[in-house]
Amino acid sequence: MGHHSCCNKQKVKRGLWSPEEDEKLINYITTYGHGCWSSVPKLAGLHRCGKSCRLRWINYLRPDLKRGSFSSQEAALIIELHSILGNRWAQIAKHLPGRTDNEVKNFWNSSIKKKLLSHDVFPSLSTFFCNGSIESFFPLSTENPSLINPHHHNHQDHLYLPISSPILHGNFDHNDIKIDINNYNSYFLHIQNPMLQTVVSSNNPSFFEDSWSLGSVLSHLNPSQEIQITKSDATTHHHYNIVEKFINPSTLQHYDLVEPNITVPKVCDSIEDYVYNIPYNSSVSQEQHEALERVQCYTPSICPQDDQTLVAKNQMEYIDALIISSFQSTATSSSIVTKPIIPSTLDYS
DNA sequence: AACTGAATCAACCGCGTGATA
DNA sequence: TTATCACGCGGTTGATTCAGT
């Protein structure tokens, strides 16, 4: 295993970065900008290769990074974008302000992918519905008007799940569906209806808050989760301290930073860029083009505005909901599901 | 309390691509 | 046109942390 050309010239340190190294790198870049990364280590007084410096800056030290757990909206966006873009983590991350490709990739591999695999066996889904929040995941439907959010009467703007899956009617054979993670994209691309739904909880206004920034996450999490975040962010605190120390708002503009409170961009805008950048003679199939166009048509409802939100009891449940919905869509992918069926009674005990 | 397996995530590696000489 | 270099990306690794026994 060789090293990068920039690393061959001198002995470079590898492994985790020390606070002192971080400090040097931040100090240098905030003062001079990174310029040519290969020259950064020498100029910054670091015994690292330029590539390592770049990675450290991009994935960890950049002041515009959002730390903490992914919000349900972000998770939804990732799932949606991944269904279209595949493992183009950098492309996906571009639509998640403050998130890096590495972060998105890790999140996918550690959380979402795991969920997908675990859903290969459907009985595990019972946990998803066992907390009395099942209504939160039902589509708004004329067949269930009580669940219609008064804020969103125009349900053409919403996405509906084909919720008529047998699993909800109690006769689901979990051997019927096997997900091949490698063909996950193709499942989505076959979906005629969008796989996401807008879910609202009419009896819990707090769920309308889009409030998964780190600070507010803590107020919503149970104590164990709070502890976990606090622990896992131990190094982040170090990062914040350094950033606070060295970076002031006037210097940030040099680095094309996003505003800290920027909202998640609309998928439709994001995808639009991608669609327009796809050459017609590229490897992207007609099918994929069509899928992208479909997403463009439906994306408003999965890009919650201030008064809209995707609801979840917590992040993992929300991912569950998305995955379930994709399975249900997949199971009926050969036909267009125009009207979801909501079971009137359910018993998941 | 100690051990162990699982989960997480920062960092590394190799490759592809574009710019430049 | 070719060679070289730097950058960016996606896949993978491995150290650390967490959770269960």
Side-chain angles (χ1 to χ4, degrees), chain A residues 168-184:
Chain A
L168 295 177
H169 296 290
N171 61 347
F172 179 75
D173 179 354
H174 70 262
N175 291 322
D176 286 346
I177 298 178
K178 294 284 184 183
I179 284 298
D180 177 0
I181 193 72
N182 295 318
N183 292 325
Y184 182 56

Side-chain angles (χ1 to χ4, degrees), chain A residues 68-79 89 92 96 99-115 212 315-316 318-319 322:
Chain A
S69 302
F70 281 78
S71 68
S72 54
Q73 284 89 351
E74 287 176 311
L77 193 55
I78 290 170
I79 292 172
W89 305 117
I92 294 172
L96 292 148
R99 302 295 188 183
T100 68
D101 55 346
N102 209 32
E103 210 174 0
V104 172
K105 180 172 56 181
N106 282 334
F107 178 59
W108 178 270
N109 288 330
S110 64
S111 298
I112 302 177
K113 194 172 179 178
K114 181 184 69 182
K115 286 283 176 182
W212 275 76
Q315 184 178 329
M316 288 299 102
Y318 189 79
I319 294 169
L322 296 176

Side-chain angles (χ1 to χ4, degrees), chain A residues 175-310:
Chain A
N175 291 322
D176 286 346
I177 298 178
K178 294 284 184 183
I179 284 298
D180 177 0
I181 193 72
N182 295 318
N183 292 325
Y184 182 56
N185 289 342
S186 63
Y187 281 103
F188 278 92
L189 292 174
H190 279 89
I191 295 170
Q192 297 291 328
N193 260 19
M195 73 293 284
L196 297 176
Q197 66 172 331
T198 296
V199 252
V200 292
S201 176
S202 58
N203 58 0
N204 192 347
S206 67
F207 278 155
F208 286 95
E209 298 169 9
D210 177 12
S211 53
W212 275 76
S213 62
L214 182 58
S216 52
V217 160
L218 296 178
S219 66
H220 282 77
L221 294 176
N222 62 43
S224 63
Q225 287 173 302
E226 182 171 348
I227 289 168
Q228 187 173 352
I229 284 183
T230 303
K231 285 180 178 177
S232 65
D233 276 16
T235 53
T236 305
H237 294 154
H238 145 66
H239 157 59
Y240 282 148
N241 290 338
I242 292 178
V243 170
E244 271 182 35
K245 183 177 176 181
F246 286 95
I247 300 177
N248 60 61
S250 64
T251 60
L252 299 187
Q253 57 190 339
H254 296 309
Y255 307 104
D256 194 26
L257 302 176
V258 298
E259 294 179 8
N261 293 326
I262 194 166
T263 56
V264 176
K266 289 185 176 183
V267 180
C268 42
D269 297 336
S270 307
I271 301 303
E272 199 172 349
D273 293 340
Y274 183 69
V275 171
Y276 289 151
N277 285 319
I278 299 173
Y280 281 104
N281 58 351
S282 74
S283 59
V284 177
S285 67
Q286 173 73 20
E287 189 181 39
Q288 286 171 304
H289 274 291
E290 290 171 359
L292 289 164
E293 286 166 5
R294 282 199 297 277
V295 170
Q296 281 185 286
C297 298
Y298 290 107
T299 44
S301 64
I302 56 170
C303 305
Q305 304 301 301
D306 290 342
D307 63 337
Q308 295 175 293
T309 188
L310 297 165

